[in-house]
C-alpha cells in the first residue's frame, strides 16, 4: 500500500462507514440521505478520476494524423515548386524568408493547439465533476445551518417560525461532527482529480473546492466547541 497517494477505494470505504454510522444514530434524518448521496458520488468521482489518468487515444490519433498530413503538404509543395525560376533579388529573398517564417509560426501554433486539445478536454471533464461535488458541499452546509448550540441554553426562547429542534447536546454534537466528516471526505474526492490530472488550472479548481469545504467545516467546529464547553459531547 502506498502512503504517498490517495487511494480512492479507501475514500469510498470511509464514506460507506460514515453513512452506516449516521444511519445508526439518525436513521430517519435528511443527513442520512445526504451521506448516501456522498457514497454514490464518491464511487462516480473515483471512477471518473481513474479514467482521466489514461490518455485519450482518439485525440492523440487525430493529432498524429494532422501532423502527418501537414508534413506531407510541406513535402509536396517543396517538390512541386521549381526553385530555379524564383528570382534571387534581395527584395524577393526577404519576402521569401518572411513568408516561410509566417508559415512556420502558424504551423507551430496549430501544432501547439492540437497538443493541448487533450488537456482542455480533461480539464472540462474535471470542472463538470467538481461542479457536482461543490453542490453537494452546499447541501451539507444547509443541513447544519439551523443546528445552533445557542438553542441548548436554558434562556433560549423559540419564535413562532423557529425550526423544530429535537436534538439534545450530545446528538447535536454528533450531527455536526458527521457534517464535518462529510466535508472532509468531499475534499479528498476533489483531490483525486489533482492527483490524476497534472494541470495547474485543475489544481487551482481543486484547491477552491477544498477551501470551500474547510471554511464551512471551520464554522461547524466552532459550534462543536460551544457544545464541548457545556459538556454535552459524546463520541461514536
Amino acid at each position: 500500500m502506498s502512503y504517498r497517494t490517495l487511494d480512492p477505494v479507501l475514500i469510498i470505504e470511509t464514506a460507506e462507514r460514515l453513512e452506516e454510522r449516521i444511519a445508526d444514530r439518525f436513521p430517519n434524518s435528511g443527513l442520512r440521505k445526504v451521506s448516501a448521496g456522498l457514497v454514490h458520488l464518491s464511487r462516480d468521482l473515483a471512477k471518473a478520476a481513474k479514467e482521466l489518468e489514461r490518455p485519450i487515444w482518439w485525440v492523440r490519433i487525430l493529432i498524429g494524423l494532422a501532423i502527418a498530413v501537414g508534413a506531407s503538404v510541406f513535402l509536396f509543395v517543396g517538390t512541386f515548386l521549381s526553385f530555379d525560376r524564383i528570382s534571387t533579388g534581395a527584395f524577393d529573398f526577404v519576402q521569401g524568408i518572411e513568408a516561410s517564417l509566417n508559415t512556420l509560426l502558424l504551423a507551430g501554433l496549430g501544432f501547439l493547439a492540437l497538443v493541448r486539445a487533450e488537456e482542455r478536454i480533461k480539464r472540462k471533464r474535471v470542472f463538470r465533476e467538481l461542479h457536482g461535488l461543490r453542490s453537494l458541499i452546499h447541501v451539507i452546509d444547509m443541513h447544519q445551518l439551523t443546528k445552533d448550540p445557542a438553542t441548548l441554553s436554558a434562556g433560549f426562547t423559540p419564535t413562532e417560525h423557529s425550526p423544530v429542534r429535537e436534538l439534545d447536546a450530545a446528538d447535536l454534537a454528533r450531527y455536526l461532527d458527521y457534517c464535518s466528516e462529510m466535508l472532509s471526505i468531499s475534499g479528498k474526492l476533489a483531490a483525486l482529480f489533482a492527483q490524476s490530472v497534472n494541470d495547474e488550472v485543475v489544481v487551482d479548481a481543486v484547491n477552491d473546492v477544498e477551501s470551500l469545504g474547510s471554511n464551512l467545516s471551520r464554522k461547524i467546529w466552532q459550534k462543536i466547541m460551544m457544545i464541548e464547553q457545556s459538556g454535552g459531547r459524546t463520541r461514536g
Side-chain angles (χ1 to χ4, degrees):
M1 181 183 296
S2 175
Y3 292 95
R4 296 185 179 181
T5 57
L6 288 169
D7 188 339
V9 174
L10 295 180
I11 296 176
I12 294 172
E13 290 178 354
T14 302
E16 290 172 344
R17 285 195 299 271
L18 178 58
E19 194 273 335
E20 292 170 353
R21 291 162 56 202
I22 295 175
D24 290 340
R25 194 175 291 271
F26 306 109
N28 300 317
S29 67
L31 190 65
R32 181 188 179 182
K33 297 179 182 178
V34 177
S35 65
L38 177 62
V39 171
H40 290 298
L41 184 61
S42 64
R43 293 168 183 162
D44 293 340
L45 295 184
K47 181 180 178 181
K50 187 65 177 179
E51 291 176 350
L52 288 171
E53 293 179 359
R54 297 192 291 266
I56 306 177
W57 289 112
W58 67 267
V59 174
R60 297 193 177 189
I61 292 173
L62 285 179
I63 292 174
L65 290 175
I67 294 174
V69 171
S72 299
V73 170
F74 275 110
L75 290 175
F76 174 76
V77 172
T79 56
F80 178 77
L81 290 177
S82 179
F83 291 99
D84 57 347
R85 297 182 181 180
I86 299 177
S87 174
T88 58
F91 180 75
D92 292 333
F93 177 76
V94 171
Q95 279 190 321
I97 292 294
E98 182 181 2
S100 299
L101 290 176
N102 288 336
T103 301
L104 289 175
L105 179 61
L106 291 174
L109 292 175
F111 175 74
L112 184 61
L114 287 174
V115 170
R116 291 186 174 178
E118 181 177 356
E119 180 182 279
R120 291 195 299 271
I121 292 174
K122 288 188 175 183
R123 186 183 296 171
K124 190 173 182 179
R125 291 180 181 176
V126 171
F127 289 164
R128 183 172 63 248
E129 301 296 345
L130 291 181
H131 177 73
L133 185 58
R134 187 180 293 108
S135 298
L136 181 63
I137 289 175
H138 285 292
V139 171
I140 297 172
D141 182 55
M142 286 297 297
H143 276 76
Q144 68 84 30
L145 200 60
T146 58
K147 303 302 183 290
D148 189 357
T151 60
L152 300 174
S153 62
F156 176 76
T157 303
T159 65
E160 180 182 355
H161 298 95
S162 294
V164 178
R165 308 180 192 274
E166 300 175 343
L167 302 179
D168 58 20
D171 284 343
L172 180 59
R174 294 310 309 142
Y175 191 101
L176 293 171
D177 207 356
Y178 290 149
C179 290
S180 179
E181 290 185 44
M182 291 172 66
L183 292 174
S184 180
I185 293 174
S186 299
K188 301 304 178 290
L189 290 172
L192 287 177
F193 292 100
Q195 183 174 277
S196 300
V197 182
N198 186 17
D199 181 271
E200 290 184 2
V201 177
V202 170
V203 172
D204 289 340
V206 168
N207 288 337
D208 289 340
V209 173
E210 290 183 305
S211 296
L212 173 63
S214 297
N215 291 335
L216 296 176
S217 183
R218 192 175 299 114
K219 294 192 304 181
I220 292 174
W221 273 96
Q222 290 175 351
K223 294 182 178 181
I224 294 175
M225 289 177 63
M226 293 176 61
I227 299 173
E228 285 183 333
Q229 292 173 358
S230 65
R233 188 184 184 203
T234 61
R235 302 297 299 177

